[in-house]
Amino acid sequence: MKTVTPTPSDPVRLAVLTNRMEGIVRGMLNTMYRTGRSGILNTARDVIACIVTPEDEMLACAESLPIMTLSGPELVTPWLREWHPVIKAGDAFLHNSPYHGNSHSGDHSVFAPVVDDAGELRFWVCVKAHVADSGNSLPTTCQPLARDVYEEGSLLFAGVKVQSDYQHLEDVQRMCRLRLRVPELWHGDFLAMLGAVRTAERELLGLGRELGWDALQTYASEWLDYSEGRMATAIRQLPAGTATASTRYDALALTGVEQGLTISATVAIDADDGRIEVDCRDNPDCVPCGINLTEATATAAVRFAALNSLPGDIPINGGSFRRLQILLRENCVAGIPRHPASCSMATTGIATRLTGAVQIAFAELGEGLGMAEAGGMFAASDSIISGRDPRRGGEPFVNLPVIGATGGAAGPYADGWLLQVGGAAGMMMRDSAEMDELLHPIRIDQDRLVPDTEGPGRLRGALSNYVEYGPVGTSIELVCTAESTESPALGARGGLGAQVSHQYKRLRDGSTEPVISPSVVVLAPGESIVSYSSGGGGYGPPHERDVTLVLRDVREGYVSRERAETVYGVVIDDDHEVDEAATAQSRRLLAAAGRTA
């Protein structure tokens, strides 16, 4: 075993250079935020930025969505070297292949090499953005019912060169203009990504000339080794042991998924050696629909869950990840897909369930570890919408407005976040209702939390979110991919599951009819989509929740008095004060029932 010291030779220099690197990746994100065209990029901020070493280890990444950030770029760079043996300054590559390290086809990546004056590759810089349209057969980048990549229909780019000597190679841009529904929107986002990697390249070249490339190489090696040491130290503080946990993915009306899928993971902590192994191989084979994970998203889902059980100051880079071994299986729904398996939903769905299984397994290994399971990342309110905008002369639009998903999982120290979760971890920004109404011909009528939908626990999960919106002056089409409609987000260590998501179509006469997910929904003027997102699971027995927190939840309208008494064992009188004697008796009964269950 390699001996790793957590103490760098020059801590001040290490900290300064690390901040320089972090400033560069933040600059890449800001470039895309300020110059991107689509709402999913510049408003929801479904983007990442990172720096990768020539040895294919992530050196720095901007704070962004874990499901896209925690793995992928370092899986792609070996393919780029294989496909393009001669890498030169001024090259840039477009990549979205789910079979070669990308998250899913709806996420377009741009890679650029940082080549010094002597022609030596020093770093890779990469950005990735969820595009509004990727050429799918339906106007969506998330297509769970696609039987394979051909039915999915996305344009696939496997390390395609798009710039040489800093000049555009126009072939790909012509292709996209002919095959994408909103070509100018894509083109604007593509230029934003190119601008971001060129900004980072310029900064790194300047830094290398200022300090010397040998000094930067020494820094990168020392930073990754130091990070590995920090990770090893953190793992040694955990209890040794092995645990397996399972969760459930919803049934789909397709062969092989009619009963849903059980998703499992086994976590083994070797505290003495400072290593963690997570085995994801005991899962079903790839299925004939778009829910299969990619290698990148399966890896990222596990890393995300593991980091949720470790101190929050672990550096996020390839050095830390050396201490986390993830066992995946080829042709596995939670592993490594074989072409032509569709991975259209690889950043959500099974990824959220796999993260949940790993978090619950960690929780079973000891109090204060792991988390409960998060709710589904998408609700009906987060459907990809498309149509023609009568306010702009019938101009077509396609976008994924992020309006109403919640679902944050409870952990050992905090309630679940009231933000979109899953692989987004609250990093995907919620849209402004007013901006969505300006950008699209829709009106958002309601957006509120729903009481009594949380996963109860000592720490509770997030509540469900209710959203209702419909078109104005036109018809629109929604591709609904709401998740957790059957299988609730599970609790951990005695915590309970949460409300599942559900959705309806409200007709012009005010009546409603259920909407099955996934499905395509057409809304005419006067109709609307009614969306309830899924809540997040709870952590620890509900009757152990701090009485003052239960009282606060009741006063805020998050939990009813009836639920406070029957689930949390807290009796609240008509004056909204705690009846201490009745509460003590109620909690004794709940604790006894829990012991005999």
Side-chain angles (χ1 to χ4, degrees):
M1 183 187 72
K2 179 181 179 181
T3 301
V4 179
T5 173
T7 304
S9 58
D10 187 344
V12 173
R13 182 180 179 85
L14 191 74
V16 169
L17 287 177
T18 296
N19 276 281
R20 289 286 294 268
M21 293 295 179
E22 291 177 351
I24 290 170
V25 292
R26 286 196 300 269
M28 283 195 274
L29 282 191
N30 288 333
T31 299
M32 291 189 288
Y33 295 159
R34 295 178 68 85
T35 61
R37 288 282 301 278
S38 64
I40 190 66
L41 191 158
N42 62 30
T43 302
R45 301 188 173 186
D46 195 351
V47 296
I48 70 162
C50 64
I51 300 170
V52 178
T53 69
E55 296 74 34
D56 308 314
E57 289 189 285
M58 187 184 297
L59 180 67
C61 61
E63 188 176 77
S64 190
L65 285 67
I67 197 63
M68 292 164 63
T69 300
L70 295 183
S71 178
E74 79 282 7
L75 299 176
V76 176
T77 49
W79 287 106
L80 292 177
R81 288 200 311 276
E82 178 177 331
W83 294 325
H84 304 277
V86 179
I87 301 291
K88 298 180 297 182
D91 289 344
F93 306 94
L94 176 63
H95 184 81
N96 74 330
S97 169
Y99 313 107
H100 303 92
N102 199 57
S103 41
H104 75 136
S105 59
D107 290 333
H108 283 198
S109 301
V110 172
F111 286 79
V114 179
V115 178
D116 66 18
D117 295 333
E120 183 175 350
L121 175 66
R122 294 296 185 172
F123 296 105
W124 291 96
V125 288
C126 167
V127 294
K128 184 187 295 185
H130 190 157
V131 295
D133 180 45
S134 59
N136 277 13
S137 56
L138 295 176
T140 176
T141 53
C142 299
Q143 200 167 331
L145 297 183
R147 290 175 295 179
D148 53 33
V149 71
Y150 306 116
E151 188 169 293
E152 182 184 330
S154 272
L155 284 168
L156 293 185
F157 303 100
V160 175
K161 186 179 287 190
V162 290
Q163 277 193 335
S164 180
D165 197 24
Y166 300 100
Q167 300 301 308
H168 289 312
L169 303 177
E170 299 287 348
D171 295 6
V172 169
Q173 296 180 54
R174 286 198 303 272
M175 183 189 303
C176 291
R177 287 193 176 95
L178 288 173
R179 279 280 279 110
L180 299 180
R181 295 171 178 85
V182 283
E184 295 309 315
L185 197 66
W186 173 85
H187 189 239
D189 288 348
F190 172 68
L191 293 178
M193 288 190 281
L194 278 174
V197 296
R198 292 305 180 204
T199 297
E201 178 194 22
R202 182 176 64 248
E203 292 293 322
L204 284 168
L205 287 172
L207 190 59
R209 290 162 184 158
E210 174 189 345
L211 299 178
W213 289 109
D214 289 344
L216 273 189
Q217 184 175 349
T218 299
Y219 155 74
S221 177
E222 189 173 58
W223 173 234
L224 294 174
D225 286 348
Y226 169 73
S227 299
E228 181 184 1
R230 288 274 295 278
M231 183 73 156
T233 299
I235 294 172
R236 290 187 180 107
Q237 298 172 18
L238 302 179
T242 300
T244 299
S246 299
T247 183
R248 193 78 181 161
Y249 184 79
D250 293 341
L252 298 175
L254 289 170
T255 302
V257 203
E258 305 96 330
Q259 305 302 317
L261 297 174
T262 298
I263 303 300
S264 303
T266 298
V267 174
I269 300 175
D270 184 342
D272 290 336
D273 198 22
R275 296 184 186 277
I276 296 172
E277 178 186 274
V278 180
D279 193 341
C280 305
R281 295 174 294 183
D282 188 20
N283 281 302
D285 288 345
C286 283
V287 290
C289 59
I291 65 174
N292 302 292
L293 297 192
T294 59
E295 182 180 5
T297 54
T299 301
V302 173
R303 287 175 174 174
F304 177 41
L307 289 169
N308 283 339
S309 286
L310 292 165
D313 59 350
I314 298 295
I316 308 301
N317 60 43
S320 298
F321 298 151
R322 295 170 185 168
R323 291 286 171 154
L324 178 60
Q325 183 180 15
I326 301 170
L327 303 179
L328 303 178
R329 180 170 62 83
E330 189 178 346
N331 193 40
C332 177
V333 72
I336 304 171
R338 292 177 186 159
H339 186 278
S342 175
C343 307
S344 183
M345 297 287 294
T347 58
T348 66
I350 300 289
T352 303
R353 304 281 76 87
L354 182 60
T355 296
V358 176
Q359 289 178 170
I360 293 171
F362 268 103
E364 291 178 0
L365 289 169
E367 183 63 48
L369 298 181
M371 292 179 70
E373 186 177 22
M377 187 169 168
F378 284 137
S381 57
D382 302 303
S383 301
I384 292 184
I385 63 173
S386 62
R388 293 186 176 272
D389 192 337
R391 304 168 303 174
R392 297 177 173 86
E395 176 183 326
F397 66 90
V398 180
N399 197 25
L400 196 168
V402 180
I403 302 175
T406 52
Y413 307 110
D415 291 340
W417 289 358
L418 291 174
L419 291 169
Q420 188 182 55
V421 291
M427 297 303 300
M428 187 181 292
M429 300 295 103
R430 279 185 53 131
D431 289 7
S432 156
E434 293 79 8
M435 286 301 299
D436 275 337
E437 291 172 343
L438 285 172
L439 293 171
H440 312 109
I442 63 172
R443 183 179 65 217
I444 300 172
D445 296 309
Q446 291 195 58
D447 182 357
R448 57 179 172 81
L449 296 174
V450 184
D452 293 349
T453 54
E454 85 294 353
R458 184 189 316 124
L459 282 305
R460 62 161 176 79
L463 282 72
S464 171
N465 198 88
Y466 176 93
V467 171
E468 183 170 354
Y469 72 86
V472 176
T474 187
S475 295
I476 61 173
E477 183 174 285
L478 289 76
V479 181
C480 175
T481 55
E483 300 170 341
S484 296
T485 59
E486 295 180 348
S487 305
L490 300 179
R493 298 195 66 80
L496 304 182
Q499 171 68 48
V500 297
S501 67
H502 48 289
Q503 50 280 327
Y504 306 91
K505 179 179 179 179
R506 190 181 301 280
L507 307 178
R508 293 177 184 176
D509 63 4
S511 63
T512 60
E513 58 183 34
V515 170
I516 304 300
S517 178
S519 63
V520 177
V521 182
V522 177
L523 296 179
E527 297 178 333
S528 58
I529 190 75
V530 176
S531 169
Y532 292 83
S533 69
S534 54
Y539 190 101
H543 66 269
E544 295 180 2
R545 183 165 175 80
D546 189 311
V547 171
T548 60
L549 295 180
V550 178
L551 179 61
R552 181 202 65 186
D553 285 346
V554 171
R555 288 174 172 174
E556 291 288 342
Y558 298 155
V559 174
S560 65
R561 288 171 59 192
E562 293 75 16
R563 188 173 180 85
E565 181 173 349
T566 59
V567 176
Y568 294 95
V570 178
V571 181
I572 298 174
D573 61 27
D574 292 340
D575 294 324
H576 279 79
E577 298 294 343
V578 175
D579 184 326
E580 295 184 2
T583 293
Q585 173 64 14
S586 179
R587 291 199 145 189
R588 281 194 294 270
L589 294 174
L590 287 175
R595 286 194 294 270
T596 59

